[in-house]
Amino acid sequence: MKHFYAIILICITLSSALAQSETDSSRLKKIYDLALSQPKGYEWLEHLCNKIGPRLSGSPQAQQAVDYTKKIMDTLGLDRVFLQEVMVPNWKRGDKEIGRIIDSKKQKTEVRVVALGNAVGTGKKGIEASIIEVKSLKELAELGKSKVEGKIVFFNRPMDVTKIRTFEAYGGAGDQRRSGPSEAAKLGAIGVVVRSLTTSIDNYPHTGALAYQLNVPQIPAVAISTQGAELLSKMLKQDPQLKFYFRTTCEMLPDALSYNVVGEIKGSEKPDEIIVVGGHLDSWDLAKGAHDDGTGCVQSIDVLRLIKALGIKPKRTIRAVMFMNEENGLRGGVKYAELAQKNNEKHIAAIESDGGGFTPRGLGVGDERAFEIIQTRWAKLFVPYMVEIQNQGGGADISPLRNQGVPLMSLNVDSQRYFDYHHTEIDTFDKVNLRELQLGAAAMAGLIYLISEYGL
Ligand SMILES: [Zn+2]
């Protein structure tokens, strides 16, 4: 008899688990169907890129993007839409930059350069000096003051094109842009030229933020296109005495008031457990910020839209956040985490989409415990959509939540083309594919639905 009851019990447990996963797989199917058949995110992205355009922190366009995304979320019938005030850096690029190689015979060759974000300008006259090429910060340090003083330093280490995960290649070359200017200034350099961080060889300079160190003289710095970098390097080998000239009029103004934009569906059973999904609303001033990161913003709003439109009443609270100022300060992300702590909010997961709106390859989970749970329970549900659960995940804007023990996750996409466009004038709406964008929203909505239903 005992065995009989045990078998019955096992049968009931198994069949309810089966029924549950059937419901979950049909829910996921509905989410994907709706995302692909009513591609709202794509429409919103077009507005963000083509009607508003570049949205650098502190600019009028950044404010328009705040107003626009708030307005969209106001129409979705959410439980709460609100702004979080945040003071942001207010850097202005100024005039179009000039870059020029001047050989020993005084012949001039124009090359395309752009000021690095947060840099000081050269002043209206520009600067002209001998230029010395290095491949790394270490090589620069070894040269020492005698070889660097009074010169412009040219950092020319390419991104490692053999890396399949292009973000690793970006990470591997990024120290030149971030720390190069201050390290060069310590040795008496008067300016810095950095090879653009991209895997392609083209004529678009890629901007990006530098970080000046405290108590080190601030010197001007520009990024040169990869074609320009190759040319400069070649000419330097033939004519080491050549000079380089550049002119930038960028400047940092006092901080400006801006906002994170937040929309929320309250949980029906555990409203105090919050799942946050987000992207960053600001973009570089050169770029329309399509892949970086308009796509992450509209996908995050789309997660709420899909859940609402399907009549799903999530058990836990789901929030979409448009973070402000990821590009040149991360103030929005820092402020969000600060307020979460201050208000005693319990975040059980944070997911960011900031790798471009390309084909989803995985849902990345940067927390061991959460990865084990998600992998074991739900990986199968994503197989039909060719999305795997990966144990690498996170994002800049959500990273300040790590101190509060929040598992960080990301939409991991095919990143092969991302750095072709990243931080340039060609990061435009036409580079985003409707289906790829919508698949990303659906993948995140699927995972968030499951977490909201069962917790972590
Ligand atoms: Zn970004």
Side-chain angles (χ1 to χ4, degrees):
M1 278 307 267
K2 238 178 167 176
H3 283 295
F4 177 73
Y5 284 119
I7 288 165
I8 294 275
L9 197 67
I10 289 167
C11 285
I12 291 171
T13 317
L14 277 179
S15 67
S16 77
L18 204 66
Q20 189 176 68
S21 82
E22 262 173 32
T23 327
D24 290 337
S25 68
S26 73
R27 274 277 158 86
L28 254 62
K29 172 93 171 74
K30 284 189 177 129
I31 290 173
Y32 269 86
D33 287 354
L34 187 62
L36 290 169
S37 58
Q38 287 180 28
K40 288 284 179 191
Y42 193 68
E43 291 170 24
W44 300 330
L45 183 68
E46 180 171 27
H47 186 101
L48 213 50
C49 296
N50 292 344
K51 299 280 184 328
I52 297 176
R55 321 174 275 284
L56 187 62
S57 294
S59 67
Q61 292 91 336
Q63 183 57 44
Q64 286 167 30
V66 166
D67 297 339
Y68 176 65
T69 48
K70 180 174 183 300
K71 199 181 90 191
I72 292 172
M73 289 203 280
D74 280 335
T75 65
L76 296 179
L78 306 177
D79 296 310
R80 199 156 71 112
V81 179
F82 59 99
L83 302 179
Q84 295 177 331
E85 288 190 358
V86 55
M87 295 303 291
V88 294
N90 191 6
W91 181 79
K92 302 287 180 222
R93 181 170 302 277
D95 303 341
K96 190 168 172 50
E97 299 86 342
I98 300 169
R100 198 172 283 151
I101 302 167
I102 305 157
D103 69 17
S104 326
K105 292 178 191 141
K106 303 270 181 241
Q107 273 185 335
K108 294 170 184 172
T109 308
E110 303 287 321
V111 283
R112 290 199 68 192
V113 296
V114 294
L116 293 185
N118 295 352
V120 297
T122 58
K124 289 210 178 314
K125 285 191 175 153
I127 56 171
E128 184 177 319
S130 299
I131 185 160
I132 185 158
E133 176 178 340
V134 294
K135 289 283 190 338
S136 66
L137 299 180
K138 186 166 169 275
E139 191 185 337
L140 172 75
E142 281 163 8
L143 284 176
K145 205 165 189 162
S146 63
K147 299 235 173 70
V148 174
E149 199 160 32
K151 291 183 183 157
I152 294 170
V153 173
F154 170 35
F155 289 97
N156 192 29
R157 183 170 85 257
M159 269 169 64
D160 181 353
V161 294
T162 66
K163 295 236 186 283
I164 302 303
R165 293 192 162 99
T166 58
F167 278 87
E168 282 174 17
Y170 180 64
D175 60 345
Q176 303 170 98
R177 188 192 78 205
R178 234 174 9 258
S179 315
S182 282
E183 294 303 327
K186 283 181 195 168
L187 300 175
I190 62 160
V192 160
V193 176
V194 185
R195 180 190 180 94
S196 284
L197 296 176
T198 174
T199 38
S200 74
I201 301 291
D202 59 31
N203 205 19
Y204 300 106
H206 297 234
T207 192
L210 57 69
Y212 286 133
Q213 292 168 30
L214 278 177
N215 305 320
V216 174
Q218 300 189 343
I219 59 172
V222 290
I224 185 168
S225 73
T226 45
Q227 278 178 2
E230 304 269 285
L231 177 70
L232 176 57
S233 181
K234 195 173 124 199
M235 287 177 73
L236 262 173
K237 283 185 187 81
Q238 293 160 355
D239 181 4
Q241 303 310 314
L242 67 77
K243 298 263 170 63
F244 195 83
Y245 168 86
F246 70 91
R247 179 185 185 274
T248 57
T249 59
C250 44
E251 59 179 336
M252 186 66 90
L253 302 178
D255 284 358
L257 175 63
S258 191
Y259 306 90
N260 292 330
V261 189
V262 188
E264 180 179 282
I265 304 175
K266 268 247 175 301
S268 58
E269 288 182 16
K270 299 195 171 184
D272 295 340
E273 294 191 9
I274 300 165
I275 304 154
V276 60
V277 55
H280 63 87
L281 202 46
D282 63 307
S283 77
W284 281 105
D285 56 330
L286 302 172
K288 288 188 174 172
H291 281 294
D292 190 13
D293 181 25
T295 51
C297 291
V298 299
Q299 285 171 330
S300 299
I301 302 176
D302 224 1
V303 167
L304 300 186
R305 196 261 311 188
L306 293 167
I307 285 173
K308 266 312 261 192
L310 290 169
I312 299 170
K313 301 220 177 321
K315 292 185 177 149
R316 291 163 177 83
T317 294
I318 303 173
R319 249 184 215 173
V321 183
M322 317 293 103
F323 293 96
M324 184 52 71
N325 186 227
E326 189 271 345
E327 295 295 3
N328 63 332
L330 205 68
R331 301 270 187 92
V334 170
K335 175 59 81 178
Y336 184 85
E338 194 184 298
L339 289 172
Q341 185 136 51
K342 195 177 137 207
N343 299 329
N344 267 320
E345 288 175 348
K346 185 185 174 193
H347 284 73
I348 61 164
I351 304 169
E352 181 151 0
S353 167
D354 185 19
F358 301 97
T359 303
R361 286 288 183 89
L363 289 156
V365 187
D367 173 277
E368 257 328 296
R369 188 193 60 87
F371 169 72
E372 287 300 330
I373 296 173
I374 293 172
Q375 166 75 17
T376 327
R377 288 188 196 162
W378 304 320
K380 264 196 183 151
L381 292 168
F382 290 95
V383 171
Y385 309 103
M386 293 185 276
V387 168
E388 36 173 57
I389 306 301
Q390 301 171 335
N391 60 358
Q392 268 187 326
D397 296 289
I398 56 174
S399 64
L401 287 168
R402 189 185 287 118
N403 292 339
Q404 298 168 37
V406 182
L408 305 183
M409 306 175 193
S410 49
L411 178 69
N412 293 350
V413 301
D414 178 354
S415 67
Q416 304 314 316
R417 279 174 287 147
Y418 185 64
F419 290 98
D420 294 359
Y421 314 134
H422 188 243
H423 298 180
T424 68
E425 64 195 59
I426 57 168
D427 181 11
T428 47
F429 177 69
D430 56 300
K431 305 300 189 310
V432 179
N433 174 277
L434 181 151
R435 289 181 65 80
E436 294 179 359
L437 175 78
Q438 296 297 129
L439 287 171
M444 292 202 293
L447 178 62
I448 288 166
Y449 159 73
L450 293 164
I451 299 175
S452 82
E453 199 68 2
Y454 305 107
L456 264 186

